[in-house]
Amino acid sequence: MANFKTHIQFATVGSGLASTALLATQTLSFKEAFMCWLAGTIGGILPDIDSDNSYSLGILFGILTLLACASTIAYSVYKIPIVWVWGLCFLVYCAMQFVVRNLFKHFTIHRGVCHSLLAGIAAGLLLTWASYKLGYTATTSWFLGAFLSFGFLLHLLLDEIYSVDFMNVSVKRSFGTAIKLFDYNNIKTALALAIVIVVLAMDAPPYHTFIAKIFNPQIYVQLISMD
């Protein structure tokens, strides 16, 4: 299994290559490309949210808490008095660090539900939905969600690569536990994730422009023709 440092480096490089390619073809603006790179990097360490390693868990929940507080500020700063905004941020911080984190540790096991393609899809859709609700355009929201899922997939792929001993041409016992459709030992959780995906998909922003950009052949012609 790859360690935390390797995962974040792999996700940073992979997301960086993809975001700069979209920037070079003018599919994304510089701001959008930077945000997508950040989303992909976070996605690359997100599966380890169920890690038994307190260091990894602390960093991940620190990032998630920061994002939750930032989203709270963005949503409420022009709607309620600033003192209430500060109070909400304090409540969000306490909820994330002392309630959500402990619940996660209690109900998850490492390489369980969080190490699955279903979880990666759910995470991407959640970011897409949240970004759109926070005022980003539908297309930008879909790119952010797609990059988060992309980084998530890179994490799973790297774990599987590390499950193979290429020197001795052997496969470790952990092989097959990273990239799986869902947690086969926890059907209830898998069904819950599937329901979350369906609900998020039903309320997701319009995706036609995003699909048109992704499958625009001119993007790939530009990339191939670049010196």
Side-chain angles (χ1 to χ4, degrees):
M1 181 175 64
N3 59 29
F4 186 87
K5 180 181 179 181
T6 305
H7 275 305
I8 199 168
Q9 288 175 340
F10 193 62
T12 299
V13 173
S15 299
L17 292 173
S19 60
T20 51
L22 292 172
L23 175 63
T25 57
Q26 299 183 344
T27 304
L28 296 176
S29 67
F30 179 82
K31 179 182 177 181
E32 291 169 337
F34 176 79
M35 291 171 60
C36 285
W37 168 75
L38 186 60
T41 302
I42 293 173
I45 57 175
L46 197 56
D48 273 346
I49 197 171
D50 62 2
S51 175
D52 296 328
N53 186 325
S54 59
Y55 177 74
S56 300
L57 189 66
I59 292 177
L60 284 165
F61 260 94
I63 293 172
L64 292 176
T65 301
L66 178 62
L67 292 174
C69 289
S71 299
T72 300
I73 294 171
Y75 183 78
S76 62
V77 68
Y78 298 119
K79 298 180 180 179
I80 59 176
I82 188 63
V83 176
W84 289 21
V85 175
W86 293 340
L88 275 176
C89 283
F90 177 73
L91 290 175
V92 168
Y93 174 85
C94 290
M96 290 295 295
Q97 289 294 321
F98 303 113
V99 179
V100 178
R101 178 174 174 172
N102 287 329
L103 285 173
F104 235 94
K105 290 172 67 176
H106 180 74
F107 287 108
T108 60
I109 58 173
H110 190 45
R111 290 213 173 185
V113 64
C114 293
H115 267 76
S116 68
L117 296 176
L118 208 61
I121 294 170
L125 277 174
L126 180 60
L127 180 59
T128 299
W129 176 85
S131 299
Y132 190 61
K133 296 299 180 182
L134 287 171
Y136 291 101
T137 66
T139 304
T140 299
S141 299
W142 276 110
F143 269 111
L144 289 172
F147 265 82
L148 186 76
S149 293
F150 174 63
F152 200 104
L153 179 61
L154 289 179
H155 180 112
L156 303 186
L157 179 62
L158 191 60
D159 272 347
E160 289 293 7
I161 292 173
Y162 268 70
S163 297
V164 179
D165 186 347
F166 292 99
M167 297 300 294
N168 295 316
V169 194
S170 61
V171 176
K172 300 177 184 177
R173 291 179 61 186
S174 59
F175 183 77
T177 61
I179 299 182
K180 52 183 179 288
L181 181 58
F182 56 88
D183 184 3
Y184 307 121
N185 297 318
N186 196 337
I187 301 300
K188 290 182 179 179
T189 306
L191 286 174
L193 265 180
I195 292 171
V196 168
I197 289 173
V198 170
V199 171
L200 288 172
M202 290 175 64
D203 195 37
Y207 58 85
H208 302 90
T209 304
F210 167 72
I211 295 296
K213 285 191 173 186
I214 288 296
F215 291 101
N216 182 3
Q218 287 299 115
I219 294 176
Y220 307 102
V221 170
Q222 281 182 264
L223 286 174
I224 294 172
S225 61
M226 284 181 179
D227 294 328

